[in-house]
Amino acid sequence: MDKVRVGLLTIHDTHNYGSLLQTIGLYKALLNLGVDVTIIDYKCKAITERESTAPLSEARSIKQVIQSLLWHNSLKKKRNSFWAYLSYNTKLTKPYDRTSISQANGLFDVFLVGSDIVWGLEITGHDMTYFLDFTEDNKRRLAFSSSVGTKWSEEASKKIKPLIDRFEQISVREQLARDWIYDLTGKTVSVTCDPTMLLPSEYWQNQIKGIKRLPYKYVFVYMSVGNTTIDDAKEYAKKYDLKVVFLNYYLHKKEVKNLKANTINEWLALIANAEAVFTASYHGLLFSLYYHKNVFYYNRGNTSRMISLCNELKITHREGNEKNLEQNIPIDYEFVDSIMERKRQYSWSILKGYFKVQ
């Protein structure tokens, strides 16, 4: 009997490190289960516009022309590197958009959506493709660790409920998302880990082999809430005699080392080799935890994912505020590792159950 063909729909066409890594994590997990999986190369209009590398052809004002001249080449280099990494490590369909996505019904028996903020309407521009609205009735519909980010409005919920009801199995990435779906549909859904957590720590350690370390000790800043995250990192670095490295493709910040990371491996190494990490990124926090870093996190948009993770791991004392920064209470990594391992094993059991794998 032929293998069941699975189409994976996620946020993959991106120059965001976390989005790409969660795509790779879920894809490789499905391969490990023996699933015949292909990533659906869906071009969501809102995501494509957000992930633009600011080419000159898209400039519509003097400001955008200047931005293109300053940033396009470096962003394009990063984007090309990401696409090469994705193409090498996965199998993809031809490109689809909203007008052609229904054609994917002819390729797959099962559609699986997840992870990332695929159900965050402000991210997708209210694109219901990520609720698998295009799939035919005879197809299996699954969701794994789908993230909502911000609670749906009452108006949006009316459109979403019948689509959620069509799913055979659902797991979400946040406890709040689980509660929102239960309130909306009465469905009890599982809370599973981010797909990057499915892969063993050895996998992520191997990704930084051969990457040259910086010749100095440093605090790494990845994504900042205004200037707050950077300013806090500066104070921390001064206290512990460290430099501040800020991952930055745009206007340079003063008094810090502004660096770029055009490959996934370079980004991972910047986290792994840092003395401390200050981040306003969900995946920046996750990978800091995987590498056992002294990390402070800052919550910005789509707050449910940070809140859920940090409450579960009991690391709310690492949120970047004046009290926590002053006390600098270490993370109990023995406890964190035990919770993450339990969550990893539970999430594997859910994913195996989707495909009846022992």
Side-chain angles (χ1 to χ4, degrees):
M1 182 180 293
D2 292 337
K3 280 188 176 181
V4 173
R5 301 166 301 169
V6 178
L8 171 59
L9 183 63
T10 187
I11 298 174
H12 67 287
D13 187 5
T14 174
H15 51 79
N16 178 280
Y17 304 96
S19 293
L20 181 58
L21 287 168
Q22 65 82 25
T23 299
I24 294 294
L26 186 49
Y27 182 88
K28 287 190 175 294
L30 292 168
L31 283 185
N32 288 341
L33 296 182
V35 172
D36 181 9
V37 58
T38 304
I39 294 174
I40 300 171
D41 189 16
Y42 177 63
K43 309 299 186 185
C44 170
K45 185 175 183 294
I47 293 172
T48 298
E49 290 175 353
R50 190 190 73 222
E51 296 292 323
S52 171
T53 59
L56 194 59
S57 60
E58 294 180 6
R60 298 293 180 267
S61 66
I62 295 297
K63 181 180 179 180
Q64 290 177 345
V65 168
I66 294 171
Q67 289 174 340
S68 178
L69 294 174
L70 289 174
W71 304 327
H72 172 62
N73 286 339
S74 58
L75 287 175
K76 184 179 180 181
K77 184 177 180 180
K78 178 185 176 188
R79 181 67 172 269
N80 289 344
S81 167
F82 277 32
W83 189 256
Y85 185 88
L86 185 69
S87 300
Y88 179 79
N89 285 284
T90 69
K91 182 171 60 174
L92 295 117
T93 66
K94 70 177 185 179
Y96 295 106
D97 61 18
R98 185 62 185 166
T99 66
S100 60
I101 185 61
S102 63
Q103 296 173 15
N105 282 288
L107 297 179
F108 302 111
D109 309 295
V110 180
F111 290 89
L112 189 151
V113 63
S115 166
D116 220 339
I117 316 178
V118 287
W119 286 350
L121 300 184
E122 74 286 358
I123 297 294
T124 65
H126 290 245
D127 188 339
M128 295 300 162
T129 301
Y130 293 97
F131 293 92
L132 304 182
D133 69 339
F134 65 92
T135 55
E136 297 170 351
D137 290 341
N138 64 339
K139 304 297 181 180
R140 291 183 67 201
R141 283 166 288 276
L142 307 168
F144 183 80
S145 282
S146 292
S147 182
V148 176
T150 303
K151 189 176 182 180
W152 303 311
S153 68
E154 185 175 344
E155 181 181 357
S157 295
K158 291 177 182 177
K159 298 177 183 178
I160 290 168
K161 182 183 184 304
L163 298 175
I164 291 286
D165 286 338
R166 298 179 78 210
F167 277 78
E168 178 184 315
Q169 298 282 348
I170 293 174
S171 76
V172 292
R173 203 171 57 180
E174 294 88 31
Q175 295 167 3
L176 285 172
R178 175 195 61 189
D179 297 341
W180 296 335
I181 289 176
Y182 179 79
D183 291 342
L184 179 62
T185 69
K187 285 179 177 283
T188 300
V189 303
S190 305
V191 179
T192 45
C193 68
D194 184 88
T196 60
M197 200 183 293
L198 293 172
L199 302 184
S201 59
E202 293 78 15
Y203 179 85
W204 299 119
Q205 289 293 339
N206 287 335
Q207 299 304 302
I208 61 173
K209 287 183 177 179
I211 303 297
K212 188 176 181 180
R213 287 174 174 262
L214 296 178
Y216 44 79
K217 293 185 177 181
Y218 62 93
V219 177
F220 180 50
V221 180
Y222 176 57
M223 294 195 181
S224 178
V225 177
N227 289 318
T228 301
T229 311
I230 297 174
D231 289 342
D232 287 349
K234 287 179 183 177
E235 288 297 316
Y236 183 95
K238 184 178 180 181
K239 184 176 181 179
Y240 294 99
D241 194 24
L242 303 167
K243 295 185 183 298
V244 176
V245 170
F246 178 44
L247 185 70
N248 187 14
Y249 279 78
Y250 302 102
L251 292 177
H252 279 203
K253 299 291 184 179
K254 296 180 180 179
E255 301 175 353
V256 303
K257 297 280 187 179
N258 294 269
L259 295 183
K260 299 178 176 65
N262 289 326
T263 71
I264 284 292
N265 311 76
E266 290 170 347
W267 180 76
L268 291 172
L270 283 171
I271 295 174
N273 296 328
E275 299 299 311
V277 178
F278 285 64
T279 183
S281 157
Y282 177 76
H283 284 100
L285 172 61
L286 268 183
F287 279 92
S288 296
L289 296 173
Y290 298 162
Y291 290 123
H292 285 194
K293 295 290 104 177
N294 193 33
V295 59
F296 286 100
Y297 69 90
Y298 296 75
N299 218 339
R300 48 189 190 113
N302 301 298
T303 58
S304 66
R305 53 186 184 161
M306 284 281 207
I307 293 170
S308 181
L309 177 68
C310 296
N311 284 340
E312 187 173 11
L313 298 181
K314 300 189 185 310
I315 57 169
T316 54
H317 63 287
R318 302 304 300 183
E319 184 169 8
N321 59 46
E322 185 176 356
K323 177 185 176 182
N324 291 341
L325 288 162
E326 177 63 30
Q327 293 182 339
N328 195 22
I329 299 171
I331 294 173
D332 181 354
Y333 270 111
E334 184 176 351
F335 174 80
V336 167
D337 286 348
S338 69
I339 297 298
M340 288 201 297
E341 180 58 27
R342 187 170 68 191
K343 193 173 185 70
R344 179 184 293 113
Q345 294 303 323
Y346 174 73
S347 301
W348 268 112
S349 71
I350 295 296
L351 195 59
K352 288 177 179 178
Y354 284 5
F355 299 99
K356 297 180 171 56
V357 175
Q358 296 298 318

